[in-house]
Each structure stands twice: as C-alpha cells, then as structure tokens.
C-alpha cells in the first residue's frame, strides 16, 4: 500500500529551495498539509525575503496540494509552530532542514562565524522542535527529522563550526528519541548529499545532476510516516542510496589491577588490544555502555589479570568459535574453617532466635554442622576470579550474565572445615535464540570422596543464534509444584544488610552493595544475591520437614525469576510429595515469585517409620493401572504408534495426593510404572481414586468429570481424547 500523509500536518524548515523544497513537494503530493518555512536569506545567513517560501507554496497549490508559507527564522521556533496550528490545527511532523554555511579554516573562524552557524542549525532545531514537542506528546504521535552532515560525522576541512553544530543535532536527536519514544514521538537523523546552492560551488555539475534532492526526499517521507517505527537512528542518503550508521567499540582491555596502581605504561602496553576492532561491540544505549564498567569493576575486584578478556555490553558480535562443551577447568582448592560456615549461615538468615539454629552458628555445639547449601559457595569460588573467562571458544561477558538455575546435590555432609578440591566442566552449551545457556557441572571432593555436585545454568544474554541445540539431557529439570494450596508456608524477613552480610561468603559483585552500580544495572538499590534467597528457601525446608538435620538434605533445584531487595520478606511455600518437597519462593510484600520450579529432595528420616501415603494399599485405581500395564505389555508397540504420548496420573484420596502413575506410550514399546515421569509428561490428569473408578466403570464420562472439576488436566488437553483407547473395557475388570 502506498504511504499517505492525508490528515498530517508537516513543517519543513528552510523549504524555499534545495532539499527542503523537494521534501515539501513530496509531502504535499501525498496529501499532507505543509508549512513551507524559509527566511529567504543568502547562503551565509544574511538577508531576508518571502519570495522563496511563496514560490514553493504556489507550486504546491497549483498541483492541488495544501500549503502555507512562513518566513520566520528557525530561531523564532514558536512562530513556525503557531503558523501550523493557525492554518491546520495541529502539527505531526517537523523536518529540521534550514541551514547556512560560514566555512573558514579553524584558525580564521570568528566568534560570529561560530555563533551564527550554531544558532541556525543547532539552536534553531532545538527551538522549533521544543515548540512542537508537547503537541506531539499529547496527541501521542510525532515524527521529527534532524539534518546532520558527513562533515559532522567524519569532520571536514574548513567546517569546524558547521561540523560541531551538525553533530550537536545528532546528540539532540538521540536524547529526543529516548524521551519521546513512549509517546510515539520519534526522532531520526539524516546526513544527506544533494546538489543545492550549498554544494554547487564545491561539486562538479555532472555530479550534481546525479545528486538530486528528489533522491533524498523518499527517506525523509518514510521516516516521517506512522508506519516507520525507527527511532534514534542515523542514515546517510544520496544519489538514490540509503545506509544506516551505528557506533562500534572494541572489546577493549582492562588496564587496572586490584593489587597495583593503574599507570600510563599499562595503557601503552595494552594499546593493540584497546584498538583492535575484531568482534567489536555495537553499543546503542548509555545503559549498555555503563554496564561494561560494572563488569570491569567486578572483574578488577575479583583480581582478574590485566588485559583479561574485556567486558562488553551490546555484544551483538558475541559468539562461540569452537564449542566449549566438555572443557574442564583447572581444578582449584577451597580451604575454609568453621568461620565461613557460620558466616554463610548468618548470610542466609539463620538466627539465634531459633534454638535449633545453634548447631549452625556455634562451633562448640555438640552437633555443629555446615548448612548443606554452603555447597554452592565452594563451587562458586572456583568460578569467581575469572575462571570462566579462560574457557576457549566462550566469548564470555560478565555484564550480560544471568544466573538462571541452580542444582545442588549433597553426597556426604559438608565438613565444617578443611580443603576441598573442585573440578568444573562445561557440561553443555545451548542456543536459546536470544541468548545462550551454559551448563556448568562442578564436583567438590574431599580427598577422593565426592562431597557435592553443583550444576549452574548461566544465561548469556545476546550470545545465542549460533545454530546450537536448544535443550540438553544433561540439564537437571525443573519440576512444577502440585496444583493445590501449599502444605506449609514459612516467612522470614531479610534485613537491610542481608546482601552486605551474604557477600562476605564470596560473591563480591558490587551489584549487591554499591548503589551506583545497582543504578547502572537499572535497579533502584543493590539487590540480594539469588543464591541468598536460595539459601533461605532451603533452610525453610530443612526446618519444616527435616528437623534441621543437614544429613537429610539430598538435593535442591531452583530457577531464579526476579530480584529481591534486602529488607523484603521471603515467603517459601512448600508441598510435600513423599521425600520431595516442591517449593516456590515469593517476596511477601509484592507477591512476586522469585524462585520457581523448585524442589528439595530429602533422605527419609532414619528413625521414622516408612512414610504412609493415605490408604495407599487401599487404592482401587492400583488394580486398573496394573491391568493397563499388562495390556501395554501385550499390545504396547501398536498403542505407541497410535497414541504417541506420555500420560501422567495423580490419584488423590481424601483431598491428598495418594499415588502417581506414568503411562508411557511414546518410547519403545510403551510401559506403565508407578511414580512420576522422569521428563515432562505430555498431559497430566489429577483425579480422585473414586472418580477415576467411576470413569473407568463408565459411570462418569470423562468430559463431564472435567467440566465438573473432578478431573483436572494439565498439558496437551487434546490428548485426553485418546484416554478412551487406554481405559476402554476396564469396566469389565
Ligand atoms: P539550501 O541552502 O538550498 O537550503 C537551506 C535553506 O534554509 C535555504 O532556503 C535558506 O534560506 C534556509 N534558511 C537558512 N537560514 C534559515 C533560518 N534561520 N530560518 C529559516 N530558513 C533558513 O541547502 P540544502 O543543501 O538544501 O541544505 C538543506 C540542509 O541539508 C541543511 O541543513 C544542510 O546543512 C544540510 N546538508 C546538505 C548537504 C548537501 O549536500 N546539500 C550535505 C549535508 C547537509
């Protein structure tokens, strides 16, 4: 569809000739009401005449278009906009185009040469645009064009005044784009090349012939149209060609080290690296630019080497050259004493208020122990200090790293002091499109004995799109909690100094302590470490379901969703399913979920009687599943072909989960087993034992059960239609 400007009111400054005139004619031809502004002076900004603007208005009107003239200087910005409002009642588009030249070599540039060029180009564009701004904001539509010049972008002999003013307009445009964006007021900048009175003395005539203003106008029209969503962009345009420009920045080098002062020699020695544009970053916001510094500071803080792989923000060029999968990092040692164990326990909110807590807080307690989740601290220590940045094939950027998920499994209770050896391996590297996920497996040994295993899932923003696989069988999966109200809830307030305390356990990222750092990352104040909330949640489970006995702690998995601010309260909601405690953690004040898909697996209590599921033995459905199992054995392959899905079952009794079953009609020749499916079932049914029997016996039809709320279905609901195949004829059981 052709682009129309019907109903739009467009002001073009300096439209009495050259480029501006071409824009005015083109806008009018497409239905716009045009304000043709021109002071009608000479090329150097002297003189004044209404003739130039009048002639263009006449030409537009002769062609049936709508236009009015305005003869004010752009320095009277308000008057130009008033003309638009008086004539047409609104203003939609401003093209800042008016311009003059006062070329001089720099030494000969007078104050007057400098000032007048700035006044017309930069100050004029400011005044005209400011006069239009609130009208555009109010009507939630506006398109503003700034006209810069190659002389400003690249510099040009004899044009110091003009270059400075023209690039000033680009800076103005960049900020207007940010301030106007949310009101649909967009500002873009063009650097045109065209034959006009400004260029006729410097360009040969045959070249000028091919540089018609008409070859620039179409870009201006497109940028001014409501369909064009570009904002804050810069284009070079001329001779029928249009190109877009952006900034590029080298990866750079860190020239400061924690242990010695930064010197000019350090800069000199890293000069090649500082100047090397290989894999350069394309930064487009101040935030991205500053974020780099956040990464640098944490790198310096963690003692990274001078010249270590530099940090970057908008790492559009970030990519993996060789696969890092399978890479083993050099083993490291972690030595600690009871002090670190106690400090960690305090960091995750353990308090002497709870008498049970003393075993984690007092080294002379007869049962003094280390909290199991201290296992993440040992592992993380191996990764701090630039460990990851040494991985070949991993273009690693600490500023764009998000800790996505964490799994920790304890094989032996953590010693309360000693030296452990830590081995870290890149287990997998996944391509998620918008980013990459790094799965990092870390084993910690006491001598030859494996103490604990960690899996870090680290999301590298912007590093995806390298054509890698999306998922991995090595990833420890998240598990959703049952769909019922939690069985237990614990709430704990974090203190204002929680992050300040927690960081002493080894995560020194200034994001958690330094307000200006946090601000650079877009946070109102320093945020709590995700692994601190993780520690709170694990502690809650241990207290609620394991009598604070660390020996019962087997494993934990969480996904980090949102940050927590120190001082907020953490609410851990728990669901007990046998020895698995599903959990979800919220900020109590906001109800935001901060940890999800999480669970803690416990070892059964040694002295406890085997846990009794409510009337397990008495479930009628057991017989049916046994029968289905037999049938699947007989006709499995055929059923797998027909059904090709995994069905999960949650059978309840007296409102409580009583059994789980999996009917796998997807892999091999099918199988039925008691218990949850190891992966994600295609569809999961929750139904009471009694209702299940009614359905099987044909007394209750499945649709009715579903609509009556007796049968709950999660996942691919369409698959429930295949239920019949599985359940039919069981009435005869
Ligand atoms: P032009 O001289 O033909 O057009 C500029 C117009 O602005 C003139 O009609 C002039 O009367 C008007 N004007 C000057 N001072 C004014 C004021 N204070 N208030 C209102 N109107 C005023 O020049 P051209 O080439 O069409 O330039 C248009 C814009 O494009 C200028 O901003 C120029 O700097 C820029 N530009 C042009 C290039 C080219 O190759 N033609 C190269 C790079 C930038």
């Amino acid at each position: 569809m052709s682009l129309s400007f019907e109903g739009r009111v467009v002001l073009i400054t300096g439209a009495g000739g050259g480029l501006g005139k071409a824009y005015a004619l083109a806008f009018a031809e497409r239905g716009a009401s045009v304000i043709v502004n021109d002071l009608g002076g000479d090329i150097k900004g002297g003189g004044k005449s209404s003739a130039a603007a009048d002639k263009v208005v006449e030409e537009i009107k002769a062609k049936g278009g709508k236009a009015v003239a305005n003869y004010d200087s752009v320095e009277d910005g308000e008057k130009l906009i008033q003309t638009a409002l008086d004539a047409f009642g609104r203003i939609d588009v401003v093209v800042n185009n008016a311009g003059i030249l006062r070329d001089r070599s720099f030494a000969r540039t007078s104050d007057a040469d400098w000032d007048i060029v700035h006044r017309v180009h930069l100050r004029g564009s400011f005044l005209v645009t400011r006069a239009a701004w609130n009208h555009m904001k109010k009507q939630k539509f506006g398109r503003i064009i700034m006209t810069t010049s190659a002389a400003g972008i690249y510099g040009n002999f004899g044009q110091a005044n003009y270059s400075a003013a023209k690039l000033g307009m680009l800076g103005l445009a960049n900020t207007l784009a940010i301030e106007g964006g949310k009101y649909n007021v967009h500002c873009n900048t063009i650097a045109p090349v065209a034959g006009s009175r400004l260029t006729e003395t410097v360009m040969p005539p045959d070249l000028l012939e091919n540089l018609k203003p008409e070859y620039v106008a179409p870009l201006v029209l497109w940028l001014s149209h409501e369909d064009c969503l570009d904002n804050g962009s810069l284009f070079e345009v001329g001779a029928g060609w249009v190109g877009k420009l952006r900034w590029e920045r080298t990866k750079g080098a860190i020239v400061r080290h924690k242990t010695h002062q930064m010197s000019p020699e350090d800069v000199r020695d890293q000069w090649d690296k500082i100047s090397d544009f290989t894999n350069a970053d394309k930064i487009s916001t101040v935030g991205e630019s500053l974020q780099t510094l956040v990464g640098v500071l944490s790198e310096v803080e963690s003692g990274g080497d001078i010249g270590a792989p530099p940090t970057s923000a908008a790492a559009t060029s970030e990519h993996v050259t060789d696969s890092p999968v399978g890479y083993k990092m050099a083993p490291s040692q972690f030595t600690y004493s009871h002090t670190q164990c106690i400090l960690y326990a305090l960091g995750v909110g353990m308090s002497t208020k709870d008498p049970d807590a003393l075993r984690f807080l007092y080294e002379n307690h007869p049962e003094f122990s280390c909290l199991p989740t201290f296992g993440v601290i040992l592992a993380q220590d191996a990764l701090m200090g630039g460990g990851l940045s040494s991985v070949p094939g991993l273009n690693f950027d600490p500023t764009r790293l998000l800790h996505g998920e964490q799994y920790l499994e304890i094989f032996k209770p953590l010693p309360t002091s000693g030296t452990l050896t830590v081995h870290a391996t890149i287990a997998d590297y996944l391509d998620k499109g918008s980013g990459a996920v790094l799965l990092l497996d870390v084993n910690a040994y006491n001598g030859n004995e494996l103490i604990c295993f960690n899996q870090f899932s680290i999301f590298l923003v912007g590093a995806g799109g390298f054509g890698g696989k999306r998922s991995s069988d090595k990833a420890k999966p998240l598990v959703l909690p049952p769909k019922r109200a939690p069985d237990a809830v614990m709430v704990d307030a974090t203190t204002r100094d929680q992050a300040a305390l927690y960081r002493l356990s080894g995560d020194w990222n200034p994001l958690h302590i330094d307000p200006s750092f946090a601000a650079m990352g877009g946070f109102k104040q320093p945020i709590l470490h995700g692994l601190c909330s993780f520690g709170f949640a694990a502690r809650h489970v241990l207290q609620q379901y394991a009598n604070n006995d660390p020996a019962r702690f087997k494993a934990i998995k969480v996904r980090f969703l949102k940050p927590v601010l120190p001082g907020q309260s953490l609410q851990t909601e728990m669901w007990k399913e046998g020895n698995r405690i599903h959990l979800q953690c919220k900020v109590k004040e906001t109800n935001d979920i901060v940890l999800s898909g999480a669970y803690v697996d416990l070892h059964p209590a040694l002295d406890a009687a085997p846990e009794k599921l409510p009337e397990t033995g008495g479930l009628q459905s057991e017989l049916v599943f046994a029968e289905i199992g037999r049938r699947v054995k007989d006709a499995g392959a055929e059923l797998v072909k027909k059904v090709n899905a995994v069905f999960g079952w949650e059978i309840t009794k007296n409102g409580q989960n009583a059994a789980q079953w999996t009917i796998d009609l997807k892999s091999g020749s099918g199988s039925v087993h008691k218990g949850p499916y190891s992966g994600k079932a295609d569809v999961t049914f929750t139904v009471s034992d009694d209702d299940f029997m009614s359905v099987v016996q044909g007394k209750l039809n499945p649709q009715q059960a579903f609509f009556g709320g007796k049968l709950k279905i999660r996942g691919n609901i369409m698959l429930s239609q295949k239920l019949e195949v599985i359940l039919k004829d069981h009435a005869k059981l």
Side-chain angles (χ1 to χ4, degrees), residues 13-21 23 37-45 52 70-75 80 96-101 119-121 124 147-151 162 166 169 190-199 203 208 211 213:
T13 70
L19 284 162
K21 176 180 172 185
Y23 305 157
N37 157 265
D38 209 298
L39 183 67
D42 64 29
I43 178 175
K44 292 186 173 181
N70 170 286
Y71 320 117
D72 294 304
S73 165
V74 285
E75 289 187 75
L80 276 66
N96 289 294
N97 167 77
I100 55 164
L101 288 177
R119 280 189 358 238
V120 172
H121 289 278
T147 309
T148 187
S149 160
Y162 180 75
K166 280 305 203 192
M169 290 173 69
I190 62 160
V193 178
S196 74
R197 67 179 197 173
L198 284 190
T199 46
M203 288 186 189
L208 287 179
L211 295 176

Side-chain angles (χ1 to χ4, degrees), residues 133-328:
W133 190 252
N134 280 337
H135 300 285
M136 291 179 166
K137 255 173 79 174
K138 256 189 228 136
Q139 71 199 16
K140 295 234 162 16
F141 177 80
R143 294 289 183 267
I144 297 159
I145 308 292
M146 295 291 174
T147 309
T148 187
S149 160
I153 300 171
Y154 308 110
N156 199 23
F157 189 90
Q159 294 198 308
N161 52 355
Y162 180 75
S163 308
K166 280 305 203 192
L167 213 58
M169 290 173 69
L170 179 63
L172 173 61
N174 288 339
T175 293
L176 295 188
I178 292 168
E179 291 193 15
K182 64 169 180 267
Y183 304 103
N184 192 21
V185 177
H186 294 176
C187 185
N188 292 290
T189 306
I190 62 160
V193 178
S196 74
R197 67 179 197 173
L198 284 190
T199 46
E200 68 191 358
T201 51
V202 290
M203 288 186 189
D206 52 337
L207 183 59
L208 287 179
E209 180 53 29
N210 286 306
L211 295 176
K212 293 192 178 136
E214 288 76 13
Y215 300 153
V216 175
L219 171 65
V220 171
L221 266 70
W222 166 237
L223 290 174
S224 303
H225 198 270
E226 65 205 33
D227 288 355
C228 176
L229 300 179
D230 254 71
N231 188 20
S233 300
L234 169 64
F235 303 87
E236 283 189 64
V237 51
W241 165 87
V242 182
K244 190 165 179 173
L245 282 85
R246 66 178 172 192
W247 294 98
E248 233 189 32
R249 189 177 70 183
T250 68
K251 289 271 177 223
I254 297 178
V255 286
R256 185 162 73 89
H257 194 276
K258 202 176 175 184
T259 52
H260 53 255
Q261 277 207 324
M262 182 174 170
S263 70
E265 291 76 18
D266 292 332
V267 178
R268 177 197 60 199
D269 296 345
Q270 294 298 325
W271 201 240
D272 285 351
K273 209 163 185 181
I274 290 169
S275 315
D276 178 5
F277 274 94
T278 314
N279 288 334
D281 292 327
K282 283 84 183 174
I283 309 293
S284 59
T285 66
V286 171
E288 285 174 0
S289 166
L290 289 179
Q291 260 186 31
T292 304
L293 301 188
V294 178
V296 168
L297 287 169
S298 67
E299 191 98 345
V300 170
E301 195 53 53
S302 65
D305 292 338
I306 282 197
T311 54
S312 58
T316 43
S317 60
E318 192 170 33
H319 67 282
V320 174
T321 42
D322 302 311
S323 169
V325 177
Y327 179 81
K328 289 183 176 23

